[in-house]
Each structure stands twice: as structure tokens, then as C-alpha cells.
Amino acid sequence: MAPQLAWIGLGNMGRVRHYLLPHLFYPMADNDPQGMCKNLVEKANLSRPLIISNRTLQRAKDFQSTLPFNKSTIAKTITDAVSDSDIIFTCLGDDAAIKETVSTISEIPNIKGKLFVDCSTVHPDTTNEIAESFAAHAAEFVACPVFGAPAMADAGQLVCVLAGPKESVEKVLPYCKGVMGRANIDFSDQPHAKATLLKINGNTFILNMVETLSEGHVLAEKSGLGSDNLHKFIETMFPGPYTAYSGRMMSGDYHKREQPLFGVDLARKDAKHALDLAEASGARMRDVEVADGHLADVQKHMGSKGDIAGIYGAVRKESGLKFEN
């Protein structure tokens, strides 16, 4: 019999879906559980409705209304979702949230043999704790963080990073490439934490890219080169994410959005994890230190509405320009 699937955690229901132009399908670090859920329902050929659980029940109901009829059900509690399922996906905003959820799951009688798949972006130490908790209850576990913007999640174009026992990973693969994602990075039979270690390290590439673009645009404006001329160079030499972020900066999108595409709070959480990992490993990430300092400035200026692209505003401000362009 085909397994019953459940999904725990829907993220920010208020987030704005992607907009503007196709070139804005750029890699990003902010997970989008809604897009991932949608593709499981629409593409995974599930024999039974997907069970959805969210801390705020109304959010689950609102999201369910966007899905095909009779293709999902709502569990009122995590216990209900887990008890009735064989494979349970979780995707939560931070380490505290996933730890709390796993603690709740651990209190459910007889989770032996169930497979838990965590797509959250968390510290590798947290992933290890989760793995140990499920192993203590004879449950299976696969770490499966993803790379991709909300639009990429909606389109099933994420990159899924899977780690854990090969036998368990193989049970998750049918729901990754071709359903939620365009590609898999398969770490079968490697420690679970390798997946989130790559995720945290990979996110620093995005952070450093935004920092580089921000400094370049400010120099272009103050030196007389002009942002338009710099953008021509960027779109010629670095098409894709560099061009997309450059466009967001020039348009003022970084300070105009009601909901961030990659929130400053989550970006700082990821930066902190990266810096902690570097320190523990005897390394140093100076670029991340600088970018995190600018993210702190974004938080002061915009609060939780701030976006990672707001680094541009922070660099502008420290260079004698207004935060908003």
C-alpha cells in the first residue's frame, strides 16, 4: 500500500508570491513550505490526501482552499497528523520551532518505523539532535533542506539535499526531483548533519553575493559610473541571480515590499549559524561578518519587514546616502 504523507509547518501565509519577470526565479535561502506542499499534492500521485498540520489552524484552512478539491485533509494537532501517517515532512522557521515539534512528536506512542523528513534550515547540531531523538524511538529520519526562492518552490524547481541512511533516502527521493525539485544532491549513507552543513554554507554564497552587489552599486552611484551602467555589466557577465538582485536594488524593491522574500531575521539566523560553524572549525568568514553587520543595520531600520536585499540600503546609508533609493 502506498504510504500516507503528512506535512507539518506552512510558514508565512502572508508572504507574497513571486512577481515581475521570469529572471527573478533566482536561488534563495528562504524555504517556502506552501509551494512544496502544493507540488506534493499536484505532482506526487498520492493515493490518499496529504495531511496538513499547522500551529495556526486557520492558516491551514486558508492554504487548503488553494489546493485541488479532496486532495488534502487538515489535522488539528501534530499528534493527529503523525499518528495517521507513514512519511511526515516538517519545514519550520528556526531551530527552536523544529526542536519543539520533535519534542511533541517524541511523546506520541509508537512512532517506530515512521519516516520523518525535515526540510528546515537549521544548525547541523540541531539536525544531529533530531536524528538522535528519532533513533531513540526506532523511527527513520532524513535531513532534506532545500535551496530555492518562493517562485522556484511553486514551480517545483528546488534543489533538495538529502542525507541519512540510503534505505530511508530512497523512500524520500520520489517526492524530490520531478515533484518538489529540479535536482537532488544525494548524501545517502552520510551523516544527517552533512545536509544542513551544506545548506548553511551554501546560504553564505547568497549573502556574499548581495553584499558584493550592494557595495558595487553604491560605488557606481557615488563615483559617477551610474547604476544603469553597472547593471548592464552585471546582466552581461552574471545573468541569473546577480542580475535579479541588482534589479531589486535599482527598483527599490528592497525597501518597498510588505513581506520580505528572504527576511532579515532568517538571514541573520543563517549568518549566525555559519559564523558559529566557522569558529568551531578554526576558520573565519570575514565576508559573512561584514554582511551580518549590514543585516543588523537593516533590522534597525526596517524591523522584521527587512529583506536580505536591504543590505544595499545599509551600505548606502554608511556611505552618506539615504537608505531608500
Side-chain angles (χ1 to χ4, degrees):
M1 180 180 293
Q4 172 67 61
L5 269 61
W7 189 281
I8 299 173
L10 291 175
N12 179 17
M13 284 295 293
R15 59 115 177 142
V16 181
R17 289 192 179 271
H18 231 58
Y19 67 107
L20 294 180
L21 302 171
H23 72 259
L24 287 177
F25 280 72
Y26 48 84
M28 224 167 61
D30 199 7
N31 294 346
D32 177 29
Q34 298 167 49
M36 298 163 77
C37 261
K38 177 181 73 72
N39 284 303
L40 279 178
V41 169
E42 295 178 356
K43 299 179 182 179
N45 296 317
L46 303 180
S47 61
R48 289 177 280 179
L50 177 71
I51 298 174
I52 299 171
S53 174
N54 193 67
R55 176 175 295 181
T56 304
L57 186 60
Q58 188 59 47
R59 284 187 178 182
K61 292 179 179 178
D62 291 344
F63 176 64
Q64 185 186 37
S65 69
T66 70
L67 300 175
F69 183 66
N70 281 341
K71 293 293 185 179
S72 63
T73 61
I74 296 176
K76 292 183 178 180
T77 67
I78 290 175
T79 298
D80 291 340
V82 172
S83 297
D84 295 335
S85 303
D86 304 301
I87 301 177
I88 301 95
F89 288 83
T90 53
C91 190
L92 299 163
D94 56 31
D95 297 60
I98 187 61
K99 287 180 180 181
E100 180 182 348
T101 298
V102 171
S103 178
T104 298
I105 292 172
S106 298
E107 296 174 359
I108 299 172
N110 195 25
I111 61 171
K112 179 180 179 180
K114 294 182 184 291
L115 171 57
F116 295 88
V117 185
D118 185 41
C119 302
S120 311
T121 300
V122 295
H123 195 287
D125 289 349
T126 298
T127 301
N128 283 332
E129 290 180 32
I130 295 171
E132 292 171 3
S133 178
F134 286 132
H137 292 83
E140 297 181 63
F141 174 59
V142 170
C144 184
V146 300
F147 288 99
M152 296 173 74
D154 287 344
Q157 294 295 300
L158 298 171
V159 175
C160 305
V161 186
L162 303 97
K166 183 177 180 62
E167 182 179 353
S168 299
V169 169
E170 288 179 345
K171 295 177 183 178
V172 183
L173 287 174
Y175 308 109
C176 294
K177 183 179 179 180
V179 177
M180 295 190 296
R182 65 175 176 83
N184 299 328
I185 299 177
D186 190 342
F187 290 168
S188 288
D189 284 338
Q190 294 192 47
H192 297 93
K194 287 290 183 70
T196 41
L197 183 57
L198 176 63
K199 172 63 173 170
I200 296 299
N201 197 346
N203 281 2
T204 68
F205 285 57
I206 299 166
L207 183 59
N208 292 336
M209 174 187 68
V210 176
E211 177 69 31
T212 297
L213 285 167
S214 298
E215 294 179 8
H217 269 291
V218 170
L219 176 60
E221 183 168 350
K222 299 209 71 173
S223 67
L225 171 63
S227 288
D228 288 341
N229 287 334
L230 178 64
H231 186 74
K232 290 178 182 178
F233 162 76
I234 293 168
E235 64 184 357
T236 301
M237 294 295 295
F238 307 108
Y242 276 83
T243 299
Y245 270 106
S246 177
R248 291 191 66 200
M249 293 172 188
M250 292 177 64
S251 70
D253 177 75
Y254 70 94
H255 65 83
K256 295 177 180 177
R257 299 188 62 82
E258 286 299 318
Q259 295 289 339
L261 286 180
F262 183 9
V264 64
D265 295 342
L266 292 176
R268 290 210 72 194
K269 178 258 296 181
D270 293 350
K272 181 180 183 301
H273 285 340
L275 294 173
D276 287 346
L277 287 167
E279 183 178 5
S281 303
R284 188 168 183 185
M285 306 183 83
R286 291 181 183 270
D287 286 349
V288 177
E289 292 173 9
V290 172
D292 185 53
H294 286 140
L295 287 173
D297 293 337
V298 176
Q299 279 183 323
K300 292 176 184 177
H301 192 85
M302 298 189 68
S304 295
K305 288 178 60 177
D307 187 280
I308 189 175
I311 287 175
Y312 175 49
V315 176
R316 286 174 56 84
K317 192 172 180 179
E318 72 178 11
S319 301
L321 301 172
K322 291 184 178 179
F323 185 96
E324 295 81 7
N325 61 357

